[in-house]
Amino acid sequence: MLAGATTWVTMVYIVAVNPLMLGNAQMDFGAVFVATCLAAAVGSMLMGVLANWPVALAPGMGLNAFFTYSVVIGMDLPWQTALGAVFWSGVLFLILSLTGVRERIVYAMPASIKTGIAIGIGLFLAVIGLGNAEVIVQGDGVLLALGDLKTWSAVLFALGFITTVALFVRGSSLAVIAGILVASVAGWFVDPSFDFPTSVVALPPSLAPTLLELELLVPLEVGFVSVVLALLFVDMFDTSGTLVAVAKQAHLETEDGRFRNLGRAMLADSGATVAGALLGTSTTTSYIESNTGISVGGRTGLTAIVVGLLFLATLFVAPLVGAIPPYATAPALVFVAVLLISSLSEFEAWNNFSESAPLVITAIMMPLSFSIADGIAAGILTYVL
């Protein structure tokens, strides 16, 4: 239950970010907020019940940007049509899961690619966390640069991160969530841009503007098939990479390199995408932030079920959630990055460059391209070539 609460705290930012993102596609903010909470609740509880995995789900970052900027704005399509494309990509995903194709794709990945995925996602999370804290910023004439370390966001991130590491070293199961709370409470007192929430509880907005508003038939026309396939393959690689990294962190891998209930986990993931599209949100996927809960002991589906229940409760505490500063969750993301990157110690084929080169390419392409899917694709192509 503590692991579920920890995972929820590190990923609950999506209930504020997703409505803002899809709002750029002219979707109703309040309805998308409710759809995001419900999709996360349904997906997480499906994962807990079907697969018994400590993995939480919610509408995916990156996938919502693809939905808004590439599909709706880039192709000048109504959001209802784009939601229909998400629905059909989820249906195809469901078919691939039921037939075992997705599972075979995961098992076909070499050990070097699987390790590269875990390390790459760790680096990716580190970049996101350091970016949220403004420790790393977009550079002038360079890709990245060191930010102003005298800002409250950088100082409070450091406070939260040191708190997390210090408690973890001493064996505390509260380490991750304590770092978030310390940074949040300190920020409310000293950071003028964040204050104590004026209210905590409020009734959820109406879901009516997005519920079942998707276009089901238009996305099946020839011109839109490419959109459905693009959503399918981006989600497939993104989800596969996340599930592999999380399963390795949770020690769900057996001696023969297989993962317990992987097929059921993928079934839950694809079912959540279908449900999310019906509710009115972009592709729902497994969250790498699940590693924060695993780091404090989450090992079973109870963790995911607790996350789902907390997302249902989130419907009524939106003001409180909105008061958690982005830099307060950054320590958890960077701490999980440390845990994921430590899996490098298990890789024993460094002297075989046909194995180590794809690993490195996979790992560095994820944060630099800001895409898990692109990093996996680059690693697999490198491995084959």
Side-chain angles (χ1 to χ4, degrees):
M1 293 178 69
L2 175 65
T6 303
T7 297
W8 170 79
V9 169
T10 57
M11 62 184 286
V12 73
Y13 66 85
I14 193 62
V15 302
V17 175
N18 201 49
L20 286 172
M21 186 77 74
L22 299 193
N24 293 323
Q26 306 306 311
M27 297 182 70
D28 181 78
F29 182 96
V32 175
F33 165 77
V34 175
T36 301
C37 291
L38 292 178
V42 170
S44 299
M45 287 193 277
L46 270 177
M47 181 66 76
V49 172
L50 290 179
N52 197 26
W53 278 32
V55 176
L57 291 87
M61 287 296 295
L63 291 164
N64 53 10
F66 181 78
F67 176 95
T68 299
Y69 297 108
S70 297
V71 179
V72 176
I73 296 176
M75 300 183 68
D76 196 25
L77 293 177
W79 60 262
Q80 293 90 340
T81 302
L83 273 183
V86 171
F87 173 83
W88 288 115
S89 71
V91 170
L92 289 175
F93 225 164
L94 199 58
I95 293 171
L96 292 177
S97 299
L98 289 170
T99 56
V101 173
R102 284 182 67 186
E103 194 171 350
R104 287 196 290 272
I105 290 174
V106 171
Y107 288 136
M109 288 185 184
S112 58
I113 298 297
K114 291 180 182 178
T115 303
I117 288 170
I119 296 165
I121 291 178
L123 294 171
F124 189 43
L125 286 179
V127 170
I128 293 173
L130 293 171
N132 287 347
E134 298 179 359
V135 173
I136 296 296
V137 297
Q138 186 172 353
D140 184 13
V142 295
L143 286 177
L144 299 172
L146 190 65
D148 183 0
L149 300 184
K150 292 177 287 185
T151 62
W152 280 121
S153 61
V155 171
L156 293 173
F157 157 76
L159 174 65
F161 183 69
I162 295 303
T163 299
T164 301
V165 174
L167 289 175
F168 185 80
V169 168
R170 285 158 178 77
S172 172
S173 59
L174 293 170
V176 177
I177 200 167
I180 295 171
L181 293 176
V182 166
S184 296
V185 174
W188 293 339
F189 279 106
V190 302
D191 185 353
S193 62
F194 282 92
D195 300 310
F196 282 105
T198 55
S199 62
V200 175
V201 178
L203 289 174
S206 171
L207 183 61
T210 60
L211 179 65
L212 301 178
E213 289 295 318
L214 66 168
E215 283 278 0
L216 286 176
L217 298 180
V218 174
L220 297 179
E221 296 177 6
V222 175
F224 301 112
V225 171
S226 61
V227 177
V228 175
L229 293 178
L231 286 166
L232 171 67
F233 284 110
V234 170
D235 190 21
M236 182 187 300
F237 282 118
D238 197 353
T239 300
S240 298
T242 299
L243 288 178
V244 167
V246 171
K248 288 175 74 69
Q249 182 70 22
H251 305 295
L252 297 174
E253 192 173 15
T254 60
E255 292 181 0
D256 59 358
R258 303 181 75 82
F259 298 105
R260 172 172 52 83
N261 292 339
L262 177 61
R264 292 186 179 189
M266 291 182 165
L267 188 63
D269 187 282
S270 50
T273 292
V274 173
L278 294 172
L279 291 166
T281 183
S282 53
T283 304
T284 303
T285 188
S286 300
Y287 260 56
I288 192 61
E289 284 88 345
S290 302
N291 275 306
T292 56
I294 291 169
S295 71
V296 298
R299 291 294 182 272
T300 69
L302 178 60
T303 298
I305 291 172
V306 170
V307 175
L309 293 173
L310 287 172
F311 268 111
L312 290 179
T314 305
L315 288 167
F316 302 95
V317 293
L320 179 62
V321 171
I324 297 176
Y327 54 72
T329 59
L333 296 176
V334 178
F335 177 70
V336 170
V338 176
L339 296 179
L340 287 171
I341 295 170
S342 66
S343 66
L344 190 60
S345 62
E346 301 171 6
F347 186 68
E348 300 176 351
W350 273 113
N351 293 329
N352 183 349
F353 278 81
S354 64
E355 296 289 337
S356 57
L359 183 157
V360 172
I361 293 298
T362 303
I364 64 174
M365 282 298 292
M366 282 189 195
L368 294 181
S369 66
F370 216 72
S371 168
I372 293 173
D374 288 347
I376 295 172
I380 290 174
L381 287 172
T382 302
Y383 189 92
V384 173
L385 292 172

